[in-house]
């Protein structure tokens, strides 16, 4: 089976739109692989901070990126929870910090870093299929994806979701600071020259501001079925 014939669902959009939860649910339901590409950028950011590499030292960052080995492991069979491992360490919690989000967004703007992570992301395309979540899944990494979804939601709603998530984890944060961080990262991710955050022309845009995960999931399954029916008719 050639890599191009393995189906891919690409899910893009800014943070806090529910890409990860949707992606995990789709992958579990379909029995497909799942790629959280943001976790790669976050882990690279974490490594850079560990090694005191400044975020504009492209040469050292590219060196780190070329050797980056990130392993995704099931936390427990069937739990749908993923553990992210790097250099023998469980970095699942660490890479979700605001510091790592900031580092990832800065590093992700560098074309050399995006290029260095491309092959690693594409290697996740394995039978029977892949659900990939990120910013450029449908526009660059898997431009030939079977189905492209772009999730959006208002920045206020996304900050509120993140606030609740952190509160539940016992982390004390300020809603205004979260909103400012989101707006800053959105601006950087959208304005960068290399694979900026934007919907592919053939992506289906879903605004999740007032939709729960179940409703978004049903919509995507419907779209996938419709696409498969259409592909079947054209054969
Ligand atoms: O999805 P996330 O919040 O974990 O991503 C963290 C950062 O990584 C985000 O600011 C943008 C960047 N990123 C990217 O540029 N391209 C991707 N495919 C995934 C993430």
């Amino acid at each position: 089976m050639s890599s191009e014939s393995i189906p891919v669902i690409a899910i893009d959009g800014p943070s806090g739109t529910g890409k990860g939860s949707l992606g995990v649910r789709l992958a579990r339901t379909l029995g497909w692989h799942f790629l959280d590409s943001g976790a790669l950028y976050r882990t690279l950011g974490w490594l850079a901070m560990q090694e005191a590499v400044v975020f504009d030292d492209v040469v050292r960052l590219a060196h780190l990126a070329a050797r980056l080995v990130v392993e995704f492991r099931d936390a427990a069979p069937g739990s749908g929870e993923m553990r992210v491992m790097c250099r023998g360490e469980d970095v699942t919690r660490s890479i979700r910090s605001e510091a790592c989000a900031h580092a990832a967004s800065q590093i992700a703007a560098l074309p050399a870093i995006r290029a260095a992570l491309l092959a690693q992301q594409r290697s996740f395309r394995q039978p029977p299929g892949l659900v990939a979540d990120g910013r450029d899944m449908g526009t660059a990494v898997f431009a030939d994806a079977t189905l492209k979804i772009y999730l959006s939601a208002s920045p206020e709603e996304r900050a509120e979701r993140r606030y609740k998530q952190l509160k539940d984890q016992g982390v004390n944060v300020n809603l205004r600071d979260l909103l400012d961080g989101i707006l800053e990262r959105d601006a950087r991710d959208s304005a960068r020259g290399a694979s900026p955050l934007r919907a592919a022309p053939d992506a289906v845009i879903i605004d999740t501001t007032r939709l729960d995960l179940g409703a978004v999931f049903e919509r995507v399954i419907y779209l996938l079925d419709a696409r498969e029916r259409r592909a079947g008719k054209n054969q």
Side-chain angles (χ1 to χ4, degrees):
M1 193 178 201
S2 74
S3 167
E4 292 76 33
S5 60
I6 300 169
V8 176
I9 301 179
I11 309 175
D12 291 305
S15 57
T17 48
K19 299 187 306 288
S21 312
L22 173 67
V24 168
R25 188 144 162 190
L26 284 168
R28 275 180 75 187
T29 307
L30 298 166
W32 289 9
H33 299 276
F34 176 63
L35 166 64
D36 171 2
S37 62
L40 297 182
Y41 288 96
R42 284 173 181 265
T43 306
L44 187 59
W46 174 82
L47 259 186
M49 290 194 284
Q50 295 285 306
E51 305 212 345
V53 178
V54 286
F55 302 144
D56 55 2
D57 186 344
V58 184
V59 174
R60 285 192 68 196
L61 286 171
H63 190 79
L64 276 185
R67 279 154 194 77
L68 182 74
V69 180
V70 180
E71 205 193 318
F72 296 94
R73 280 192 199 155
D74 262 337
S79 69
E81 240 184 85
M82 211 81 90
R83 303 259 122 229
V84 185
M85 309 292 297
C86 181
R87 294 191 176 170
E89 232 184 279
D90 183 342
V91 297
T92 318
R93 282 292 289 265
S94 321
I95 63 166
R96 295 294 148 202
S97 67
E98 287 300 296
C100 274
H102 178 75
S105 172
Q106 295 230 312
I107 287 171
L110 305 168
I113 303 305
R114 304 198 74 82
L117 294 182
L118 202 53
Q120 184 166 166
Q121 294 175 83
R122 289 187 173 147
S123 72
F124 281 80
R125 190 172 192 169
Q126 297 290 339
L130 174 70
V131 181
D133 130 29
R135 303 292 188 287
D136 60 343
M137 298 297 98
T139 51
V141 183
F142 303 108
D144 62 340
T146 320
L147 176 62
K148 299 179 186 179
I149 303 292
Y150 186 90
L151 298 185
S152 67
S154 74
E156 291 74 18
E157 172 65 21
R158 293 190 280 130
E160 193 75 48
R161 288 176 188 168
R162 180 78 181 133
Y163 181 77
K164 283 198 190 117
Q165 201 180 39
L166 289 170
K167 265 261 150 76
D168 289 346
Q169 292 168 6
V171 182
N172 227 349
V173 277
N174 177 290
L175 184 59
R176 183 71 234 180
D177 289 347
L178 282 179
L179 180 60
D180 287 347
I182 281 176
L183 292 172
E184 185 201 320
R185 289 198 294 277
D186 279 3
R188 191 182 305 113
D189 294 345
S190 309
R192 69 182 177 219
S195 301
L197 167 65
R198 70 178 50 130
D202 50 348
V204 177
I205 301 175
I206 305 177
D207 184 342
T208 71
T209 308
R210 283 183 192 81
L211 290 181
D212 65 14
L213 173 62
V216 182
F217 173 81
E218 293 301 334
R219 176 105 196 265
V220 175
I221 289 290
Y222 172 81
L223 290 166
L224 187 64
D225 282 349
R227 214 136 291 205
E228 278 172 355
R229 272 199 304 275
R230 213 175 312 143
K233 266 190 204 149
N234 291 339
Q235 267 169 14

